[in-house]
Amino acid sequence: MELQAREIGVLTTLIEDYIQTAAPVGSRTIAKKSNLNLSPASIRKIMADLAEKGYLEQPHTSAGRIPSAQGFRFYVDAILKYHPLPSDEQNLMAEHLDDARLDVPDLLRNASRFLSAFTQQVGMVLAPKANDIGFKHIDFILLKPGLVMAILVVEGGIVQNKIMPADPGLNSDDLIKFSNYLNQLFQGRVLAQVRARIVQEMDAVRRQYQAMARQALDLAQQAFAVDREREVFVEGTVNFFGHPEFSNPAKLRELLALLEERSRLLELLDQVSKSKGISIFFGREVEQDSVQEYTLISSPYQGQDTPLGVVGIIGPIRMNYAKVVPLVEFTAQVISRLLKNRF
Amino acid sequence: MELQAREIGVLTTLIEDYIQTAAPVGSRTIAKKSNLNLSPASIRKIMADLAEKGYLEQPHTSAGRIPSAQGFRFYVDAILKYHPLPSDEQNLMAEHLDDARLDVPDLLRNASRFLSAFTQQVGMVLAPKANDIGFKHIDFILLKPGLVMAILVVEGGIVQNKIMPADPGLNSDDLIKFSNYLNQLFQGRVLAQVRARIVQEMDAVRRQYQAMARQALDLAQQAFAVDREREVFVEGTVNFFGHPEFSNPAKLRELLALLEERSRLLELLDQVSKSKGISIFFGREVEQDSVQEYTLISSPYQGQDTPLGVVGIIGPIRMNYAKVVPLVEFTAQVISRLLKNRF
DNA sequence: TCCCGGCACTCGATCAGACAGAGTGCTTAC
DNA sequence: GTAAGCACTCTGTCTGATCGAGTGCCGGGA
């Protein structure tokens, strides 16, 4: 099932022409554009072979061929050589993102915008999972009697807040004591450790009848309960309209629905976040009845060592991989570098 | 230029049929559906009069008529009688929004979702302008030497944060002192007053050479500088695809671009936020070359007395005003009531 | 064995013409 | 003022014809 050099040549020419024109490619075009010096008739023979092996598809008899998902897969995995991003684009992106006054969510949102603008696709950035981030500070504020807001700050300046009911007898001074106690207790730990510490400490204070600590830990437990979806920054959905494959409103609708339904999107991103480096994912290869006509290109980013989240773009299968892939990779690197600075 | 009763009858029947079918309405249809007991021929005469006065438009000779923006304007202003929302829908919405554990942004986002789901249009909620909201608490956190994050909590549990450079000599204890000093200074004021107070106090401490207060006020001034856009919660853009008027991708694109470009959207919402009660705004009546085929229905909501923000929906001109308008109005009332509780 | 020119064939896109249907405007009669 | 009749207009759809792109296959030549 391996491909010969000539077959690879035809496939490459065909895919690169198809990426530009979005139309089925015929044997004459390939004969002219490739440097194989073969006649259209011979090309046709090769194309027939490629179609039989599953790399090409034919929309109908007597149309040209278009690459199948398998064809694209081979192209991005085995054929395409990726060149590093031009340094002026590197600088442009680094300059705009490297601003200490941006908090992490803003940084990630901007990165998503850049990806979208540079690739003419839809940019996406999955925010870090809170679990692995270092605790910084917690504060309780009395909104009204019996209602307390917890404000939780983690490294990198990510702020989370949560409103919760509490003992109506608590006053502001109590809450300040709580914060002081907890801040000291949790210092220098990551959130997962903080949660463990809460359970452990609750046990200890219960035996020692420390009322203040017990109340504080009760509140802390509520504040640290995980019930928030991870944020995803999606930018540039308007770019979908530029691609002829989405002139069909039904397909467009499907894809926009996917982006709006954060839970499905999160699941998808979670799947790809486990891969090590850059990952190229064709909708067609996996899901049966859902949106099939898209590609997701993504790369994880990390803080110190642990992977934190994912950056990526989503667009039609037909896209300029040679340009997009290095850009996604570079963006992930920039974010990793900037977050290392902050965490 | 006033309309006779028969003309109003024809216009009403025509608009209501058009709202259902989205197709030009002919004289025969109106003769059957209206209770005027007139023949199609007579209806035609009346329709010709209405067209001449500008209430109807004709896509081409020998098609039926469709209502013009002026026709819709007359319909929503003079003809339509609005009934209050059915109580089961009222309860459903109130139940889901009335949860003390939601912070204000989440509350508004949910309201936007509900509007979108109930009307099958796109829901929008403009968050309150921070100026008029009461100060609650400020905190400074040392992210790293020379970099401080301010966390500002205002009434209703709205949290804003801002990262700013600071004197590298500052340590955490200094920052705690700053917060204590400022919290006391600003207690019970709204943000606009807080800003005034900062300026005034800076003057005083400068003359008295109080270094700590000066540094604290410096940070406060940066923290309270207004440079953040007001948030807008837009939900349900997928609903656009349900409407035949947006089967034209170019129109759809325009409208989605408007929603994605927050600054333009804010300007639009700001225009309508000044009106007192419900406001119905036809794109066609105003802008010349931009998106014309939409209607914005909005209503301001308030905390105690001052108007805070706007709720609304955006959709095609052809929509079920009898249902949508009371829903928008009710949503604004619910939000007003819930915010009064919190502020 | 590989290559390629030639040829018949297939399919989609486009165009013109025919036709039905919806709806109008006008005239005329009551 | 109302309504019936009629000619007219415009759109959408269907049909058949034609064109062009592209294929598959056959057979001749290096």
Side-chain angles (χ1 to χ4, degrees):
Chain A
M1 242 347 215
E2 276 184 19
L3 296 186
Q4 299 166 5
R6 289 199 319 179
E7 290 177 320
I8 294 180
V10 168
L11 185 58
T12 310
T13 313
L14 191 146
I15 290 184
E16 280 166 6
D17 189 78
Y18 180 71
I19 284 176
Q20 283 183 14
T21 63
V25 188
S27 52
R28 254 173 59 88
T29 317
I30 294 184
K32 269 187 291 178
K33 292 208 176 172
S34 81
N35 45 14
L36 294 169
N37 286 321
L38 291 177
S39 78
S42 309
I43 301 286
R44 283 205 284 279
K45 216 164 153 36
I46 301 169
M47 284 164 81
D49 291 345
L50 284 169
E52 206 178 325
K53 293 181 185 169
Y55 294 92
L56 298 181
E57 282 169 6
Q58 201 169 15
H60 55 86
T61 342
S62 110
R65 301 300 210 293
I66 60 174
S68 66
Q70 186 188 334
F72 272 115
R73 168 61 64 201
F74 187 80
Y75 176 71
V76 298
D77 285 351
I79 301 179
L80 203 51
K81 300 274 169 284
Y82 300 107
H83 300 286
L85 208 62
S87 61
D88 51 338
E89 291 194 18
Q90 289 196 9
N91 294 337
L92 191 59
M93 170 168 282
E95 264 172 40
H96 275 82
L97 294 183
D98 193 2
D99 181 345
R101 282 167 309 177
L102 290 175
D103 60 12
V104 172
D106 279 346
L107 170 67
L108 299 180
R109 198 191 327 271
N110 281 358
S112 183
R113 290 218 178 106
F114 265 94
L115 270 178
S116 145
F118 279 9
T119 62
Q120 296 295 308
Q121 311 289 348
V122 175
M124 302 190 300
V125 177
L126 176 64
K129 199 190 282 179
N131 245 359
D132 311 324
I133 309 184
F135 169 86
K136 196 95 196 172
H137 190 87
I138 191 166
D139 236 332
F140 296 107
I141 290 164
L142 192 64
L143 290 181
K144 56 163 81 174
L147 200 63
V148 167
M149 182 164 73
I151 297 182
L152 171 63
V153 184
V154 298
E155 277 185 331
I158 304 176
V159 180
Q160 287 176 6
N161 54 288
K162 178 159 179 175
I163 298 179
M164 46 208 190
D167 181 346
L170 287 177
N171 62 34
S172 299
D173 289 339
D174 294 331
L175 292 177
I176 292 176
K177 279 186 213 136
F178 291 177
S179 326
N180 290 340
Y181 164 63
L182 294 172
N183 277 320
Q184 205 181 339
L185 194 64
F186 298 152
Q187 209 172 11
R189 295 168 202 270
V190 302
L191 293 202
Q193 295 171 328
V194 167
R195 286 202 193 88
R197 186 74 207 254
I198 291 175
V199 176
Q200 179 191 335
E201 194 73 10
M202 275 179 129
D203 212 44
V205 302
R206 194 172 303 125
R207 274 178 310 207
Q208 297 166 23
Y209 304 102
Q210 299 181 23
M212 189 280 279
R214 219 204 54 239
Q215 282 186 304
L217 288 167
D218 267 352
L219 283 181
Q221 192 168 41
Q222 288 184 61
F224 283 95
V226 270
D227 59 350
R228 229 168 228 282
E229 281 188 336
R230 279 167 87 181
E231 258 187 300
V232 193
F233 302 100
V234 177
E235 299 284 337
T237 39
V238 180
N239 282 340
F240 278 144
F241 287 86
H243 304 300
E245 25 274 283
F246 295 122
S247 57
N248 176 347
K251 285 184 191 168
L252 190 53
R253 178 192 191 147
E254 286 252 34
L255 209 42
L256 287 179
L258 170 65
L259 294 184
E260 203 164 270
E261 245 185 78
R262 291 293 145 115
S263 52
R264 267 172 73 202
L265 187 57
L266 276 174
E267 201 181 310
L268 187 62
L269 287 176
D270 206 49
Q271 276 179 45
V272 297
S273 74
K274 280 149 198 161
S275 75
K276 202 72 177 149
I278 194 108
S279 126
I280 300 177
F281 176 98
F282 298 124
R284 259 203 251 179
E285 287 180 338
V286 191
E287 301 188 46
Q288 248 61 38
D289 50 353
S290 180
V291 206
Q292 303 202 351
E293 310 291 325
Y294 69 90
T295 297
L296 174 67
I297 300 182
S298 64
S299 177
Y301 61 86
Q302 44 262 115
Q304 294 296 357
D305 308 291
T306 45
L308 292 176
V310 177
V311 310
I313 62 100
I314 194 164
I317 298 189
R318 179 188 71 84
M319 70 165 77
N320 188 343
Y321 293 91
K323 183 180 170 191
V324 172
V325 170
L327 192 57
V328 170
E329 207 161 18
F330 179 73
T331 310
Q333 283 169 16
V334 171
I335 294 184
S336 295
R337 180 163 57 78
L338 292 177
L339 291 191
K340 268 194 202 91
N341 264 333
R342 288 169 189 240
F343 284 177
Chain B
M1 231 8 200
E2 276 184 21
L3 296 186
Q4 300 166 8
R6 290 197 320 178
E7 291 178 319
I8 294 181
V10 169
L11 185 59
T12 309
T13 312
L14 189 145
I15 290 184
E16 279 166 5
D17 189 78
Y18 180 70
I19 284 177
Q20 282 182 15
T21 63
V25 187
S27 52
R28 254 174 59 90
T29 315
I30 295 184
K32 267 187 291 178
K33 291 207 176 172
S34 79
N35 45 12
L36 295 169
N37 285 323
L38 291 176
S39 79
S42 308
I43 301 286
R44 282 207 283 277
K45 217 165 150 38
I46 300 170
M47 282 164 81
D49 292 345
L50 284 169
E52 204 179 326
K53 292 181 186 170
Y55 293 93
L56 298 181
E57 281 170 5
Q58 202 170 14
H60 56 84
T61 341
S62 109
R65 301 298 211 295
I66 61 174
S68 66
Q70 184 187 335
F72 272 114
R73 169 60 64 201
F74 186 80
Y75 176 72
V76 297
D77 286 350
I79 300 179
L80 201 54
K81 299 276 171 283
Y82 300 107
H83 299 288
L85 208 62
S87 60
D88 51 338
E89 291 194 17
Q90 290 197 8
N91 294 338
L92 191 59
M93 170 169 283
E95 263 172 41
H96 275 82
L97 295 183
D98 194 1
D99 181 345
R101 284 168 307 176
L102 290 174
D103 62 12
V104 172
D106 279 346
L107 170 67
L108 298 180
R109 197 192 326 272
N110 281 359
S112 182
R113 289 218 178 109
F114 265 95
L115 270 177
S116 145
F118 280 8
T119 63
Q120 297 294 308
Q121 312 287 349
V122 174
M124 302 191 300
V125 177
L126 176 63
K129 200 190 282 179
N131 245 359
D132 311 324
I133 310 186
F135 169 86
K136 196 97 196 171
H137 189 85
I138 191 166
D139 236 332
F140 295 108
I141 291 166
L142 192 63
L143 290 181
K144 55 163 85 172
L147 200 63
V148 168
M149 182 165 73
I151 297 182
L152 171 62
V153 185
V154 298
E155 277 186 328
I158 303 176
V159 179
Q160 288 176 4
N161 54 287
K162 179 159 179 175
I163 298 181
M164 46 209 189
D167 181 346
L170 287 177
N171 63 33
S172 299
D173 289 339
D174 295 332
L175 292 177
I176 292 176
K177 279 185 212 136
F178 292 177
S179 329
N180 290 340
Y181 163 64
L182 294 171
N183 278 319
Q184 205 179 342
L185 194 65
F186 298 151
Q187 208 172 13
R189 297 170 202 271
V190 301
L191 292 202
Q193 295 171 328
V194 168
R195 286 201 193 88
R197 186 73 207 254
I198 292 175
V199 176
Q200 179 191 332
E201 194 73 8
M202 276 179 128
D203 213 44
V205 301
R206 194 172 302 126
R207 275 176 309 207
Q208 297 165 25
Y209 304 102
Q210 300 181 21
M212 189 280 280
R214 217 203 56 236
Q215 283 186 304
L217 287 167
D218 266 353
L219 284 182
Q221 191 169 42
Q222 286 184 63
F224 284 95
V226 270
D227 59 351
R228 227 167 228 282
E229 282 189 336
R230 280 167 86 179
E231 258 186 300
V232 193
F233 302 100
V234 177
E235 298 284 338
T237 38
V238 181
N239 283 338
F240 277 144
F241 288 85
H243 304 300
E245 24 274 283
F246 295 123
S247 57
N248 176 346
K251 284 183 190 168
L252 189 54
R253 179 192 191 144
E254 287 253 33
L255 209 43
L256 287 180
L258 170 65
L259 294 183
E260 203 163 271
E261 245 185 77
R262 291 292 144 113
S263 53
R264 266 172 75 204
L265 187 59
L266 276 173
E267 201 181 309
L268 186 63
L269 287 175
D270 206 50
Q271 275 179 45
V272 298
S273 74
K274 281 150 196 159
S275 75
K276 204 70 175 147
I278 195 108
S279 127
I280 300 176
F281 176 99
F282 296 124
R284 257 204 252 181
E285 288 179 340
V286 191
E287 301 188 46
Q288 248 62 37
D289 50 354
S290 180
V291 206
Q292 302 202 351
E293 309 292 327
Y294 70 89
T295 298
L296 173 67
I297 301 183
S298 63
S299 177
Y301 61 85
Q302 45 262 108
Q304 293 295 358
D305 309 291
T306 46
L308 291 176
V310 178
V311 310
I313 62 99
I314 194 164
I317 298 189
R318 179 188 72 84
M319 71 165 78
N320 188 343
Y321 293 91
K323 181 180 172 191
V324 173
V325 169
L327 192 57
V328 170
E329 208 162 18
F330 179 73
T331 310
Q333 283 169 18
V334 171
I335 293 184
S336 296
R337 180 163 57 77
L338 292 176
L339 291 190
K340 266 194 201 91
N341 263 334
R342 290 169 187 240
F343 284 176

